[in-house]
Amino acid sequence: MNSMMSGERPVVDGRALSVDDDGVVLVDGRRPAAGDGLGRALARSVVGDAIPADARERAITVDQTNISVIVDERLVVKIVGRWAAADRAAILLERLADAGSGDVDRLVGRVGWRHPALGESTVAIVTEYLPGADDGWTWAVDDVVEHLATGTEPDWPALLGTRIARIHDVLGRTATPSGTRAPEARRARADDALARALSSADPADGAGGARLHNRRESLARDIRSLDGTAAGLEFPIHGDLHVGQVLASPGVDGRRYTVIDFDGDPQLSSDDRERADAAARDLAHLLVSLDLVAAVAQRRVGRADTRAFEWSDRAQAALLAAYRAELSRPELFDEALVPGFRAEQLVAELHYADRFLPVWRYAPDAAITHRHRPTDDHPEAPWTPPPFAPTST
């Protein structure tokens, strides 16, 4: 069920919503927050009295562009931080819901806002709450740590490949030709990402900067491979696909895996997030995240352990094989794009760490060091994980 409010300052349960000159959504002149009652009121506008008027709210305590509130331990209400920030996700989740997808968080409804100056947009998305759910930076890392200790091989890489294929089959129904300049644009975007990463890395530091600069030619070689690829097809992909966007929750027959957060890549501009893209980008991002899981697992055990990346090699092969086997429209996936997209995502992870989360840099550093052959241009130390701190990743 959906609901719609109208006006420049609509009132929801006694609270006035507004949009400031920078596009920030405010409630009574402040940013929304868990506990202020807005999440509960928006949920009730969608489901009515199924949610009590005094239902409890609590925040989802992870860094987010938007504000997500758990209401009554039954629903998650994602309230946009900026005007139009949830439009993309709302459209894609509705499309997947109409197709009966069980691979994504179940859409309960959304709240629209018809603004006299800004037009119509989604202000909140209401989805099911999954009790006991963890994201992949917890459950996937736990499984790899367990693998290093006992040899137990996780089965979920193939399950993820199957789920992503089914999601792409639905979203790919609107696929269109990418255009003859697509290879050129992809190469330019990836070149840009590599240049940004190199510019902030000191090749004389003997550590991460030296390791990156020693692998710049290997990374550039994979990026250059984008020149020889076909334009192919594009459609609205997930756009920010990694294991952290996969929740694992208790299910009847074991774990249930649910893909969340279709807002697109937060490092891109809003216009770029809205653009269609190749399915291979989602796959490349997910594959890179398995290498990052391997790096985090090594940090957890307190040592470099090549078996973690050996696991990642097997996991990536299993994920790709399952994806290919399940995808009903193989023309959606051009595997020749994966090496270039992977190289771009690895250096984009470095750039993200440099800008927002420096303690994260060790993970893409590990993956690049493992995946790319070095030159001996700069003296470098072997990669080793930093000391483990539970709250730092």
Side-chain angles (χ1 to χ4, degrees), residues 89-391:
I91 291 169
L92 299 187
L93 285 174
E94 285 186 338
R95 193 174 298 167
L96 288 158
D98 289 345
S101 173
D103 299 312
V104 300
D105 46 342
R106 184 177 65 84
L107 180 65
V108 176
R110 64 184 180 93
V111 181
W113 182 351
R114 193 173 291 117
H115 192 285
L118 301 174
E120 188 173 312
S121 184
T122 297
V123 70
I125 296 175
V126 183
T127 56
E128 65 176 327
Y129 170 60
L130 300 172
D134 287 316
D135 71 43
W137 298 121
T138 297
W139 60 260
V141 173
D142 286 346
D143 282 0
V144 177
V145 170
E146 175 70 14
H147 168 71
L148 295 177
T150 68
T152 304
E153 190 81 6
D155 64 355
W156 49 261
L159 299 178
L160 295 192
T162 298
R163 279 156 177 73
I164 302 308
R166 292 196 294 245
I167 290 169
H168 281 177
D169 273 331
V170 173
L171 301 183
R173 292 172 187 171
T174 63
T176 57
S178 298
T180 56
R181 298 192 64 185
E184 177 186 349
R186 293 165 184 158
R187 164 76 187 274
R189 171 176 159 174
D191 277 339
D192 214 35
L194 178 57
R196 286 197 305 268
L198 289 167
S199 69
S200 59
D202 181 0
D205 69 1
R211 288 190 289 268
L212 175 63
H213 279 268
N214 282 343
R215 289 159 181 80
R216 66 185 299 171
E217 181 50 40
S218 177
L219 288 159
R221 187 182 307 115
D222 280 356
I223 288 171
R224 286 196 298 271
S225 71
L226 293 170
D227 282 338
T229 56
L233 297 174
E234 61 185 16
F235 58 92
I237 61 172
H238 183 284
D240 188 31
L241 189 59
H242 53 76
V243 293
Q245 308 288 31
V246 182
L247 298 183
S249 56
V252 175
D253 300 315
R255 279 183 184 165
R256 174 187 172 187
Y257 297 101
T258 307
V259 180
I260 64 169
D261 195 356
F262 284 77
D263 296 321
D265 188 342
Q267 295 195 72
L268 299 178
S269 69
S270 58
D271 288 343
D272 287 338
R273 284 197 299 273
E274 293 295 327
R275 291 193 179 99
D277 208 337
R281 192 176 297 279
D282 269 353
L283 269 295
H285 287 198
L286 187 55
L287 296 174
V288 164
S289 76
L290 298 183
D291 276 345
L292 302 179
V293 165
V296 179
Q298 290 171 85
R299 186 183 191 190
R300 283 267 300 273
V301 301
R303 66 183 185 279
D305 190 329
T306 58
R307 294 178 300 155
F309 283 119
E310 291 168 359
W311 164 82
S312 183
D313 291 342
R314 295 191 300 274
Q316 292 181 40
L319 191 153
L320 277 173
Y323 177 85
R324 292 190 214 97
E326 184 70 17
L327 193 67
S328 66
R329 292 186 60 195
E331 68 273 15
L332 293 176
F333 179 52
D334 182 357
E335 196 162 348
L337 295 170
V338 170
F341 284 169
R342 284 177 59 151
E344 178 188 347
Q345 180 61 13
L346 283 169
V347 294
E349 289 282 349
L350 283 178
H351 185 59
Y352 171 84
D354 289 337
R355 291 178 65 197
F356 303 113
L357 195 63
V359 295
W360 177 242
R361 202 176 200 282
Y362 78 92
D365 177 19
I368 290 169
T369 300
H370 170 69
R371 290 286 165 199
H372 289 274
R373 185 181 298 277
T375 64
D376 57 1
D377 294 344
H378 306 281
E380 66 171 62
W383 178 87
T384 56
F388 171 59
T391 61

Side-chain angles (χ1 to χ4, degrees), residues 81-93:
R82 303 183 70 86
W83 181 262
D87 291 349
R88 180 185 196 273
I91 291 169
L92 299 187
L93 285 174

